[in-house]
Amino acid sequence: MIAAGGRAGRGGRLRIAVPKGALFRDSVRALSAAGLDTAGLDEPGRQLIVTTADAEFIIAKPTDVPVYVAYGAADCGIAGRDVLVEAALEVVEMLDLGFGACRFVVAGSEDAPDLEERYGQMGVLRVATKYPRIAAAHFEARGVQVEIVKLNGNIELAPLIGIADVIVDITATGTTLEQNRLSIIEEVLPSTARFVGNPAAVRTDPRVLDLARALSVLSVESTEGPHIADPKASPFPTEGE
Amino acid sequence: MRPVTPRGFRDVLPREAAQREAIEHSCAEVFSAWGYERVETPVIEVFETLQRAAGDLEGTAFRLFDLDGQLLALRPDMTVPIARLVAARMEQRPGVKRFRYAGEVFREHESLRGQSRQFTQIGIEIVGASGPGADAEVVAVLVEALNAIGLTDFTVALGDVAVLFALVDAAGCDDAWRSEVFRAAHESNLVAFDGLTRDDRIAESAGAALRAAIRTRGGSEAIEACRAIVEPFGCAAVLDEFAQTWKLIETAAVADRVVVDFGIMRSFDYYTGIVVEAYAPGVGLPLGAGGRYDGVLAAYDAPAPAVGFALGLERLTIALTEQGVTPDVAAAPVVVGGDAEAAFVEAARRRAAGQRVVLAPGLTGDRLAEEAGALGAEAVEAR
C-alpha cells in the first residue's frame, strides 16, 4: 500500500507527522528550534493538520506515525523507538532526539505468588502488553514460554485482575507501576524519540535531510545502540536450569 | 455467498488490466531494443533451491508441500529463478546473457498492513558481464524504460555497497560488529549505525569516514567527495570503477535523471557492487530497485557476475496516476448487431480495416444501443 498524494502536500510543503501525547511538546519545541515555523501547533485544538509557512504538520496518534511515514503520507516525523520497534515498518531512522526517554520493562505484582514457582508449575507465563512484537521477541530470546495477551490501555491492571502474570510496558519514572504495587522484574530496552524519514523522501527531498541536520545540532547525541539485556540474567529459569 | 479472494490477492479488471498491459509493453520494447531476450520461469520453485541463493526466506516466501512431501515455495522475486535458470540450463551457452521478464511474485505479509501478497515485477538481468559497461547499461535501460512508460518526473539513485564493505574492512573490527553495522545499514537505522561507528574498538577516523560516506550524495562531485573520504584507508579503487560507470551514464545521455547516493544500503548478503533505486515524487516507496549480485550464481556452482533491476508494475501505475499520465489504451470498440450472418461479415470487414469489433448478433434497435452503451462504444446494425 502506498498513500495517495503523499509528499504532494498543499503548496508542496513538507509533511511532518508529530505525535500527540507525551512527546508532543518536546517535538514542537525541537521543530521550532530547528527553524521551522510552528505557529498554531502550540494550540492545535481539534485540528488534525496544521499548515504553516514551512510545513504541513500532521498531528498523529504516536503509534500511527511510522505507518504515515512508511507509506509516504508524511515525508518525515517523530516517533519513539518503542513505537518504531513494535511497528517494524520501513522508515529511515535518522536521528536520536534525546527526549522522551523511557524504558521497556517486564513488571509483576508485588502481591502475586512467586513467579518462578508459578512458571515452573504452569510451564507458561501469561504476559499482557500493548507491544506484542517486542514482548514476544524479548521472551523468545530468553527461552521463556509465554502466552501474550494484547491489551489497549491500563496495562498495569492486568496482573491485578488476574488476566496476566506479568506485563511488558514502557515506563518513564516508574510512578504508575509503584502506585499499582507493581515492581520491575527486568529491563527490555530503552527508548527515546527518533526523527524518522520516508525512504523515498530521504532520497529525493533535500528538505528532509536539511531538517535532520538542523535537528542534529540541537539534539543530545546518543551513542548507545539498542540495548538488549543479557539473556542469561533472566529471572525465569529455562528448562533444566 | 459472495466469493472473495484471499487477503492480499486481488483481481485486475479491464480498465486497469489495459493500463498494466500498456506499461508492460512499453518496458518490453525498450528492453528488446537493447537486446534482452524474454524468459519465463515457473511460479513455484523448490524452497531449498531458492533459499540457497536468496538467503533467509523465512517469513517472506509462501511455502507449500506437494504430494511427494517436497517443500516448495512461490517465487518471491524473479532474479533468483533466472539465476537458477542460467545455472541449470545455459551453462554451455557462451557469452553474456541478457534476459527480460514480466512475472508475478509472491510474498508473505502479516495481516492488517495493507500489503499485497502478489505483485508483478518487470525487469532485466545481465549475466556474465562485470564492470562499468554492464553497470551503466542497466542504469541507462532503467531510465529509458521509465521514460517510455510516460513518467514525467522520476529519479534514479545510484550507489555502491563496495564503499561500505571497504570502509568496514578498513575499520578492522570483529565479525559481530561487522554484522551489526550491516544490519543497522540495511534497516536504515542511522542512529544505531552512528552509534556503532563510535565504538571505541575502531579508529575514530574510520568511524567518521563511515558516517560521512553514507551521507554522500549529489552529482558527479559526490563521487570525488566519496573518494576523498575513502582514500586515506587505501580503498579509493572502488571509486575508480564507479567514476567510469558515471562517465558512461553521461555518455548514454541519462545522467540528468541519476543521483549519486552512497546512502543506498540494502541486502548486503546479496548485492556486491552498484545498487540502484528508482523514485517518483508522490510515491513513498521505490518504483523499483536492483544492483550487482556477483555472488548469487556461485550458490548454484555456476559463478558468474550479474547485474539487473526489477520494477514493480503496481507502483508504476500509482506513479503514473499521481502524475496524471494515462497510458495509451486501445480506443472503444464498435458493436455490430443485426442479422447474425450479416453481422459476422460486417465485423470481419471492419476488423480488416483495423477496427476493434464486438459482435452482438441478433440484437437490434434499443437492445443493441444498450449493449453498445455498456461498453461506451458505437452501435452498428448490420443488414
Side-chain angles (χ1 to χ4, degrees):
Chain A
M1 193 194 82
I2 303 180
R7 295 193 62 240
R10 269 165 296 170
R13 286 184 183 85
L14 199 63
R15 269 195 189 163
I16 306 171
V18 184
K20 59 183 177 190
L23 295 180
F24 187 73
R25 294 280 158 222
D26 283 330
S27 298
V28 173
R29 202 168 303 137
L31 291 168
S32 161
L36 288 182
D37 173 8
T38 56
L41 257 188
D42 292 324
E43 292 301 331
R46 285 173 184 271
Q47 237 179 307
L48 297 176
I49 297 182
V50 175
T51 306
T52 72
D54 296 330
E56 225 171 74
F57 296 98
I58 303 172
I59 301 176
K61 197 167 179 314
T63 47
D64 288 339
V65 170
V67 181
Y68 294 169
V69 173
Y71 295 147
D75 299 295
C76 54
I78 293 173
R81 173 83 188 144
D82 54 334
V83 166
L84 293 173
V85 174
E86 185 59 37
L89 285 164
E90 222 176 292
V91 297
V92 183
E93 199 174 319
M94 304 177 76
L95 200 63
D96 185 345
L97 295 169
F99 59 79
C102 59
R103 309 174 289 159
F104 265 98
V105 297
V106 179
S109 168
E110 287 170 11
D111 310 317
D114 187 0
L115 275 177
E116 209 171 302
E117 175 66 26
R118 189 181 159 80
Y119 182 60
Q121 217 167 33
M122 309 296 286
V124 67
L125 268 188
R126 293 169 307 152
V127 181
T129 185
K130 262 199 276 192
Y131 304 89
R133 204 187 299 265
I134 292 171
H138 174 75
F139 289 110
E140 222 166 77
R142 281 155 184 71
V144 177
Q145 302 188 94
V146 291
E147 281 170 358
I148 292 174
V149 187
K150 185 181 188 244
L151 297 178
N152 293 303
N154 295 350
I155 306 296
E156 297 82 4
L157 260 176
L160 308 180
I161 59 174
I163 197 171
D165 304 314
V166 294
I167 64 171
V168 170
D169 206 6
I170 49 168
T171 177
T173 58
T175 319
T176 316
L177 292 177
E178 260 168 49
Q179 282 173 357
N180 289 291
R181 298 191 52 73
L182 297 173
S183 59
I184 295 173
I185 299 169
E186 58 181 343
E187 305 272 336
V188 179
L189 59 95
S191 171
T192 46
R194 307 292 160 103
F195 179 64
V196 295
N198 169 268
V202 169
R203 299 269 164 264
T204 56
D205 194 331
R207 294 175 300 177
V208 176
L209 292 175
D210 291 344
L211 180 54
R213 222 166 281 133
L215 286 165
S216 74
V217 176
L218 309 161
S219 72
V220 188
E221 260 183 311
S222 162
T223 53
E224 265 182 70
H227 166 84
I228 305 290
D230 179 7
K232 290 192 190 83
S234 172
F236 310 112
T238 48
E239 200 61 36
E241 259 184 309
Chain B
M1 189 197 84
R2 194 186 281 262
V4 296
T5 57
R7 162 174 72 80
F9 292 90
R10 67 188 185 87
D11 302 315
V12 177
L13 298 185
R15 186 172 152 199
E16 188 195 358
Q19 190 178 6
R20 288 162 60 98
E21 192 177 38
I23 295 171
E24 269 189 56
H25 184 72
S26 300
C27 289
E29 271 190 335
V30 170
F31 300 163
S32 190
W34 284 79
Y36 291 79
E37 300 173 283
R38 181 179 161 90
V39 288
E40 298 178 27
T41 70
V43 168
I44 292 177
E45 299 267 352
V46 176
F47 180 75
E48 169 54 29
T49 304
L50 285 185
Q51 182 147 275
R52 205 186 320 160
D56 190 12
L57 291 176
E58 195 81 35
T60 320
F62 268 85
R63 288 176 292 187
L64 54 150
F65 285 103
D66 67 6
L67 286 178
D68 304 334
Q70 169 97 277
L71 181 57
L72 307 173
L74 293 175
R75 61 186 178 201
D77 85 339
M78 289 297 293
T79 302
V80 172
I82 287 174
R84 185 212 31 84
L85 174 151
V86 170
R89 314 289 300 274
M90 301 213 141
E91 231 187 336
Q92 305 304 320
R93 187 172 139 178
V96 175
K97 298 154 193 82
R98 285 180 170 77
F99 295 128
R100 64 183 167 92
Y101 58 82
E104 297 80 20
V105 299
F106 306 85
R107 289 189 198 161
E108 266 294 16
H109 283 290
E110 286 168 75
S111 51
L112 303 181
R113 312 208 109 192
Q115 294 287 8
S116 295
R117 298 201 282 180
Q118 173 182 329
F119 43 97
T120 304
Q121 284 191 335
I122 304 174
I124 58 163
E125 313 290 351
I126 306 180
V127 180
S130 56
D135 289 353
E137 175 177 326
V138 162
V139 174
V141 174
L142 174 56
V143 172
E144 283 195 12
L146 293 173
N147 276 326
I149 65 169
L151 272 184
T152 51
D153 193 1
F154 63 87
T155 304
V156 171
L158 174 69
D160 197 323
V161 294
V163 171
L164 195 60
F165 281 132
L167 284 175
V168 166
D169 278 343
C173 204
D174 58 23
D175 284 350
W177 179 84
R178 288 173 63 101
S179 56
E180 277 206 55
V181 169
F182 288 133
R183 195 175 68 153
H186 178 68
E187 289 174 353
S188 298
N189 187 342
L190 301 186
V191 175
F193 184 90
D194 287 356
L196 287 160
T197 63
R198 293 197 169 88
D199 190 304
D200 38 6
R201 288 173 300 168
I202 67 161
E204 215 176 292
S205 58
L210 279 166
R211 288 193 297 278
I214 66 157
R215 290 174 169 84
T216 305
R217 68 189 79 203
S220 59
E221 79 286 353
I223 304 171
E224 290 319 305
C226 192
R227 189 197 299 274
I229 292 167
V230 301
E231 207 143 45
F233 303 93
C235 36
V238 299
L239 267 308
D240 292 342
E241 281 212 347
F242 195 91
Q244 288 174 42
T245 303
W246 180 260
K247 207 158 197 182
L248 291 172
I249 288 169
E250 284 180 332
T251 309
V254 295
D256 56 330
R257 288 295 192 187
V258 185
V259 171
V260 173
D261 187 339
F262 292 104
I264 304 182
M265 306 173 290
R266 55 206 332 263
S267 310
F268 295 98
D269 45 356
Y270 191 85
Y271 289 113
T272 54
I274 63 152
V275 277
V276 286
E277 284 182 352
Y279 291 101
V283 182
L285 292 164
L287 305 176
R292 175 162 286 286
Y293 51 97
D294 287 351
V296 170
L297 277 110
Y300 297 132
D301 301 326
V307 61
F309 69 79
L311 289 163
L313 179 55
E314 290 74 18
R315 292 185 186 175
L316 294 178
T317 57
I318 292 168
L320 288 170
T321 309
E322 287 283 330
Q323 298 185 10
V325 182
T326 323
D328 292 332
V329 171
V334 177
V335 177
V336 179
D339 168 69
E341 266 180 52
F344 269 72
V345 172
E346 177 65 16
R349 192 186 66 74
R350 284 176 180 265
R351 274 197 307 274
Q355 282 184 2
R356 293 171 63 225
V357 187
V358 173
L359 275 168
L363 291 191
T364 55
D366 286 351
R367 289 196 50 211
L368 177 60
E370 203 178 297
E371 187 77 13
L375 293 168
E378 181 198 344
V380 173
E381 199 169 322
R383 287 169 211 280

